[in-house]
Amino acid sequence: MIARVIVDVPSRQTDRPFDYEVPVELAGWVEPGSRVGVPFGGRVVQGFVIAIVDHADVDRSKLKPIAELLDHLPPLSPDLIELGQWISEKYCCPLTVALQAMLPSALKGKAESYVAIAPDRMASELFEPEWMHFIRQQGGEMKLASLQARFPDSALDVKAAIAEGRLTERVAIRDRLSVRKVLTVFPPVNREEAELALTAIPARAAKQREVLRYMIGQEDPIPLQALIETLSTTSSTVRALADKGLLVIQEVEQDRDPYAGRSFRRTEPLPLMEGQQQVYDQIAEALDVAEPRVFLLHGVTGSGKTEVYLQAIEHCLNLGKQAIVLVPEISLTPQMVERFKGRFGHEVAVLHSRLSGGERYDEWRKIREKRARVAIGARSAIFAPFERLGLIIIDEEHESSYKQEESPKYHARDVAVRRAKQHGAAVVLGSATPSLESYTAAALTGASSDGRGAALLPMPERVGGKPMPPVTIVDMREELRGGNRAMFSRPLYEGLQLRLERGEQSVLLLNRRGYSTFVMCRACGYTAQCPHCDIALTYHQKSRVLRCHYCGHAEGSPTACPSCESEHIRFFGTGTQRVEEELSKLFPGIRVIRMDVDTTTEKGSHEKWLTMFGERKADVLLGTQMVAKGLDFPYVTLVGVIAADTSLHLPDFRAAEKTFQLLTQVAGRAGRHQLPGEVIIQTYNPEHYAITTAQHHDYDSFVKEELGHRRQMAYPPYCRLILITLSHEQLPQVINAGDKLAALLRQSAEEVGALGEGGFSSRFIEILGPVASSIPRIKDRYRFQCMVKYRGNVDAVGIVREAVAAVARPQDKASVQISVDVDPQVIL
Ligand SMILES: Nc1ncnc2c1ncn2[C@@H]1O[C@H](COP(=O)(O)OP(=O)(O)OP(=O)(O)O)[C@@H](O)[C@H]1O
Ligand SMILES: [Zn+2]
Ligand SMILES: [Zn+2]
């Protein structure tokens, strides 16, 4: 039997299966999806079996055997392998990178060397070195690294011993994390016998008596540690009883449950509103026929999308299938999880990046071992290892965080559609502000069963006919003319004042992108820049440190200008910290919760702040994008946006779309319950269509206007993009490689005969660049980019793959690095 293995060496040359012999003792265990350790280039590396075949491509006698099998259940299934192949093709990345992305990081094993005393040397020798004696004490085998740590001078001797055959070396793949096992004490099986034994225990072993008596009275096994603590005894006492065969101590697998100790109030399905019912019926019908279908649920904020998701999932489970719910990382709050756990209890597995590696691994195993039927999580939860998927829900489908920014640069929305096709599952994309891509796909094509296009499901009204909150636009230029230089306009100031008086709550959004504090000298104009990246350093007030958000470089903040020695060096910008200060100045005693990257890095902090706010322990929730999504607090009656424009001027063709989405989302946080709400948006561009349409909650008008611009500039959804970024420490090298790449791309584009056929023909390809990236240097590497725009039946990815392969020389570490981003979301 021969196994085709994808080795975990991510490079272009190794991105193909290699054949290995399956040793007899592993036959029947090794299957497609198995994770194995295999010898490769003089090392042992981790790999995935993607197929079992009878004939090898090479001379069978030359095949090496698989060194070890890493899990008894294969972590990947054939459908996930196929999905990985699709990702690797579509997003131009090595297959192993795609496969590894599907698994919790705990399963990324690394090779470790072990040394063992050779079998014929097991009899202890008279004059052996201390380290050899030590290995013997360890049972004859131990980790090489541990031996070296203990005997740092032994390296040469150990090497010699291996060469002489006194020691053998073995390499094995070890997981970074493993199943957590807890030593557990089991009550005696035969209680009568134990009672008898109890009387036989001598009086001087009183502690043993006590432990045994206690265990006789127990129904369930108890963790050893807990037993020791309860009876204030020692492990040797318990072990003594185990040695006598009166108790059993065993390792028991235990889950690290991040939600342990929290109870979730059981909720019942609500009777659906008419709008919800219509949408639900269509989804339920698709689930019944089990055909792959895509729906775009366009429901305004507060229209009750989540209830529809919950009932659709219930229907899916009743059909004996499983469901995946994707939500953006920052919306995955306890509030959100609670809504799902409240309905489906412990059958919900939660997967997100704020869990520790171990917790993530355990949640993943819950799915793998069929203990969970619903997975809720961020982007990568799309790979939840379910076998019969019925439904995939993507909430806030327009969120750019569904696109992974590092390899594999996949979009979870596209992966979802593909996975649904494999399983005959339905996909529901939900949003109050659908991405233009999804919206045009749905509006133009409607539903079709081949998994392309989508059926539009509108929910234009809030639950119970609650009105959308009125939105006031404040022109900050007028404020300035009126003599107000503060960051709060008079209407926003008065609005906040009123909420404080009434004991209601406010949410303040600081749209912070590119808007953090920076350091500038007022005398000479010097700004503090990162020495490794062409970007200004951000000032962190608490630690008084300047930090680069791209490479992590940090330095103390200067007291005098490094350039002209003037003392007029100041911190500029309006970070959340400054808004917070301003609030306390204007409203003494105001209770503010600030949520931004600085206050939410600690594990659980995000949750802590939201719970506090929900319990009305603060008057204002102030934050970045994090406060815009999914929150549902009954006492929030004012939403203020401090500066709507900051995202409007980014060098990104989606700038207007992102601004509109953010404003609409944050406006939707107000007045969702009994109390009526109000929204105040401050801006320097009051007539911009992204702002005026958001004011009127008018998605259709926004889309119409925005599509006009996209069409004119030939941007998505009127074409597709591939962004190729080249980087190198030396500028001439990057420019050279960029020119070469662009020339090759143009040549292939010409060959397919669609080059420059203009913006509106059904088939075209256009090569832009090379130009310097908008951040021209990151981590001491210069960056240039080429952009491929294409439409219609053109294999642009194929063209790019070939051109990149011709320019990149990956075996040469000093060569230019090239990264390919298909359907990029961020173009910096
Ligand atoms: N059928 C129903 N009957 C009564 N209340 C409902 C019903 N459906 C939803 N609700 C309530 O309406 C409120 C808004 O619903 P939900 O949060 O699901 O809206 P949403 O569309 O997901 O909003 P957003 O996109 O703003 O997050 C919630 O408090 C929810 O409990
Ligand atoms: Zn200066
Ligand atoms: Zn930097």
Side-chain angles (χ1 to χ4, degrees):
M1 227 174 28
I2 288 150
R4 305 231 123 127
V5 176
I6 296 290
V7 291
D8 196 13
V9 179
S11 77
R12 286 187 187 95
Q13 297 84 30
T14 52
D15 189 21
R16 62 171 180 88
F18 292 88
D19 288 350
Y20 288 89
E21 188 78 50
V22 179
V24 241
E25 68 272 19
L26 291 182
W29 286 99
V30 172
E31 34 182 326
S34 290
R35 199 165 56 112
V36 291
V38 289
F40 189 82
R43 300 177 290 157
V44 173
V45 299
Q46 176 172 307
F48 294 102
V49 176
I50 59 161
I52 301 286
V53 292
D54 293 329
H55 300 285
D57 289 343
V58 291
D59 180 3
R60 189 149 182 180
S61 63
K62 288 196 183 127
L63 288 188
K64 290 183 184 140
I66 288 175
E68 61 177 329
L69 177 69
L70 294 171
D71 328 77
H72 69 278
L73 262 186
L76 291 168
S77 50
D79 68 305
L80 284 176
I81 294 174
E82 199 219 335
L83 190 67
Q85 278 158 341
W86 178 83
I87 289 176
S88 130
E89 292 258 309
K90 175 169 161 87
Y91 296 103
C92 245
C93 71
L95 179 53
T96 180
V97 174
L99 296 178
Q100 198 70 59
M102 299 177 170
L103 299 176
S105 56
L107 293 185
K108 191 171 170 63
K110 60 175 199 300
E112 269 176 2
S113 290
Y114 288 76
V115 282
I117 297 175
D120 55 338
R121 304 287 182 127
M122 271 318 269
S124 142
E125 287 163 32
L126 213 42
F127 300 107
E128 66 183 7
E130 206 187 333
W131 55 264
M132 183 71 109
H133 186 67
F134 187 71
I135 301 177
R136 222 179 277 286
Q137 278 180 339
Q138 306 298 308
E141 182 177 55
M142 69 180 296
K143 233 191 261 178
L144 181 58
S146 316
L147 184 70
Q148 281 166 345
R150 171 98 191 209
F151 300 97
D153 301 331
S154 67
L156 285 179
D157 291 350
V158 172
K159 234 177 158 177
I162 293 171
E164 288 163 18
R166 282 185 289 140
L167 282 183
T168 58
E169 193 187 9
R170 178 171 72 89
V171 182
I173 306 281
R174 285 294 149 258
D175 286 337
R176 279 150 212 248
L177 277 162
S178 51
V179 173
R180 180 165 137 194
K181 290 188 179 139
V182 175
L183 282 175
T184 305
V185 187
F186 289 75
V189 191
N190 187 332
R191 276 164 218 261
E192 277 168 33
E193 235 171 61
E195 292 279 0
L196 271 175
L198 186 64
T199 53
I201 295 178
R204 63 191 147 78
K207 266 288 169 199
Q208 285 190 26
R209 264 191 191 189
E210 191 190 341
V211 172
L212 185 55
R213 187 175 303 125
Y214 182 80
M215 286 311 295
I216 291 173
Q218 295 298 310
E219 287 299 320
D220 298 321
I222 302 176
L224 177 62
Q225 205 49 44
L227 182 67
I228 291 171
E229 275 162 30
T230 323
L231 301 181
S232 44
T233 178
T234 61
S235 72
S236 57
T237 309
V238 185
R239 279 186 200 282
L241 289 163
D243 289 344
K244 290 180 191 157
L246 296 170
L247 295 176
V248 175
I249 306 179
Q250 240 176 33
E251 285 196 319
V252 171
E253 285 191 10
Q254 207 171 59
D255 283 344
R256 286 153 282 217
D257 181 357
Y259 296 90
R262 274 193 226 178
S263 62
F264 292 94
R265 202 157 33 88
R266 205 74 203 174
T267 62
E268 293 300 321
L270 300 168
L272 294 177
M273 304 279 161
E274 200 187 306
Q276 288 173 315
Q277 187 70 46
Q278 282 175 6
V279 165
Y280 170 82
D281 288 344
Q282 294 200 51
I283 300 171
E285 195 218 293
L287 291 173
D288 290 336
V289 298
E291 267 174 20
R293 278 204 205 154
V294 184
F295 296 98
L296 177 61
L297 171 49
H298 179 201
V300 298
T301 54
S303 55
K305 295 186 284 293
T306 312
E307 186 62 34
V308 174
Y309 301 155
L310 288 168
Q311 300 198 16
I313 294 169
E314 191 173 342
H315 191 74
C316 168
L317 298 185
N318 288 342
L319 293 168
K321 299 188 176 181
Q322 301 106 27
I324 295 175
V325 185
L326 300 189
V327 294
E329 187 78 49
I330 54 176
S331 312
L332 201 54
T333 58
Q335 248 193 346
M336 180 61 105
V337 171
E338 212 172 308
R339 288 177 86 172
F340 288 85
K341 288 224 172 191
R343 206 59 69 81
F344 307 111
H346 58 265
E347 290 197 287
V348 179
V350 184
L351 300 161
H352 64 81
S353 70
R354 287 193 304 276
L355 299 181
S356 71
E359 288 169 343
R360 249 181 112 87
Y361 177 42
D362 288 347
E363 292 291 295
W364 180 85
R365 282 194 310 131
K366 237 164 103 174
I367 301 167
R368 186 76 190 86
E369 291 162 10
K370 303 192 174 67
R371 288 179 284 135
R373 294 195 290 161
V374 180
I376 172 166
R379 188 174 56 223
S380 65
I382 193 58
F383 302 120
F386 287 125
E387 282 174 354
R388 289 192 73 206
L389 255 180
L391 178 62
I392 302 173
I393 289 164
I394 305 188
D395 191 29
E396 314 278 10
E397 70 85 28
H398 60 276
E399 270 291 309
S400 53
S401 65
Y402 286 126
K403 179 80 197 299
Q404 175 150 301
E405 293 302 333
E406 65 262 27
S407 191
K409 300 182 176 183
Y410 68 92
H411 200 302
R413 197 204 294 140
D414 296 324
V415 175
V417 171
R418 175 71 199 187
R419 217 178 159 201
K421 214 168 169 181
Q422 293 178 313
H423 287 250
V427 179
V428 177
L429 308 173
S431 176
T433 52
S435 65
L436 291 191
E437 283 90 341
S438 298
Y439 188 75
T440 44
L444 295 179
T445 60
S448 58
S449 55
D450 64 352
R452 298 172 66 147
L456 192 59
L457 307 174
M459 291 209 300
E461 264 155 51
R462 278 188 158 183
V463 169
K466 231 156 263 146
M468 296 305 284
V471 180
T472 310
I473 304 287
V474 179
D475 184 347
M476 291 305 272
R477 297 167 309 184
E478 286 292 324
E479 286 288 310
L480 201 61
R481 269 178 232 131
N484 180 11
R485 293 163 171 276
M487 67 176 82
F488 293 102
S489 62
R490 276 156 302 180
L492 186 51
Y493 174 85
E494 281 156 22
L496 285 165
Q497 181 77 40
L498 190 67
R499 278 13 184 240
L500 286 173
E501 282 162 17
R502 288 199 201 140
E504 294 170 3
Q505 292 180 301
S506 309
V507 168
L508 284 181
L509 172 80
L510 182 71
N511 186 358
R512 204 198 57 140
R513 272 174 188 262
Y515 205 60
S516 44
T517 45
F518 62 100
V519 171
M520 191 172 103
C521 170
R522 289 196 151 178
C524 76
Y526 160 90
T527 56
Q529 298 276 124
C530 174
H532 311 288
C533 313
D534 282 340
I535 197 117
L537 291 170
T538 303
Y539 178 61
H540 291 252
Q541 199 172 39
K542 214 167 177 180
S543 46
R544 296 184 182 276
V545 179
L546 294 169
R547 192 179 286 280
C548 171
H549 283 185
Y550 284 86
C551 74
H553 168 86
E555 56 187 66
S557 65
T559 46
C561 172
S563 159
C564 75
E565 291 173 11
S566 154
E567 276 161 26
H568 294 285
I569 186 148
R570 291 288 136 78
F571 310 114
F572 280 88
T574 331
T576 37
Q577 295 166 340
R578 283 205 43 206
V579 181
E580 188 182 13
E581 279 173 19
E582 190 80 11
L583 279 170
S584 345
K585 243 185 257 162
L586 292 172
F587 308 100
I590 192 170
R591 299 167 305 165
V592 181
I593 289 177
R594 174 162 67 87
M595 270 184 30
D596 55 27
V597 279
D598 292 333
T599 66
T600 53
T601 41
E602 211 174 289
K603 199 183 163 203
S605 52
H606 189 247
E607 279 103 73
K608 186 180 75 190
W609 297 131
L610 291 179
T611 312
M612 264 178 80
F613 192 63
E615 290 166 351
R616 297 173 78 192
K617 289 183 179 146
D619 308 299
V620 173
L621 177 64
L622 160 68
T624 52
Q625 271 83 339
M626 288 177 207
V627 303
K629 317 243 154 66
L631 310 183
D632 192 19
F633 295 112
Y635 291 95
V636 172
T637 58
L638 174 66
V639 167
V641 178
I642 292 174
D645 323 76
T646 40
S647 60
L648 215 47
H649 305 304
L650 286 176
D652 179 349
F653 69 91
R654 291 194 181 88
E657 183 182 1
K658 286 186 180 152
T659 305
F660 174 81
Q661 285 164 346
L662 187 63
L663 294 178
T664 309
Q665 291 292 338
V666 73
R669 301 307 114 213
R672 292 165 68 91
H673 296 259
Q674 252 67 44
L675 298 165
E678 175 192 15
V679 181
I680 297 173
I681 296 177
Q682 304 189 148
T683 173
Y684 290 91
N685 295 275
E687 42 315 278
H688 194 285
Y689 64 94
I691 293 176
T692 53
T693 51
Q695 177 182 20
H696 299 108
H697 310 281
D698 188 355
Y699 178 81
D700 291 347
S701 300
F702 170 76
V703 167
K704 222 167 138 201
E705 177 93 33
E706 179 68 13
L707 283 180
H709 295 285
R710 298 280 180 93
R711 198 180 154 89
Q712 205 177 2
M713 307 298 296
Y715 268 121
Y718 293 100
C719 71
R720 307 187 71 163
L721 303 176
I722 302 175
L723 178 68
I724 309 159
T725 306
L726 306 97
S727 74
H728 194 274
E729 286 168 14
Q730 246 104 53
L731 189 57
Q733 304 255 36
V734 193
I735 296 179
N736 232 328
D739 287 341
K740 217 165 126 193
L741 182 75
L744 283 173
L745 289 171
R746 289 206 171 88
Q747 196 186 332
S748 323
E750 226 163 282
E751 280 161 19
V752 303
L755 184 66
E757 275 179 25
F760 301 109
S761 64
S762 61
R763 184 169 175 271
F764 91 106
I765 180 165
E766 190 184 358
I767 315 295
L768 304 172
V771 292
S773 304
S774 28
I775 301 172
R777 196 168 58 113
I778 292 183
K779 293 187 198 171
D780 291 321
R781 299 181 72 90
Y782 291 94
R783 304 167 77 239
F784 264 67
Q785 64 188 39
C786 288
M787 179 86 89
V788 180
K789 278 185 176 180
Y790 67 102
R791 181 165 61 227
N793 181 22
V794 182
D795 178 19
V797 176
I799 289 175
V800 168
R801 190 183 299 118
E802 266 178 35
V804 167
V807 175
R809 284 175 292 122
Q811 63 275 46
D812 174 5
K813 285 244 178 337
S815 101
V816 171
Q817 263 179 28
I818 304 182
S819 92
V820 176
D821 190 352
V822 178
D823 300 337
Q825 286 290 316
V826 177
I827 313 198
L828 293 176

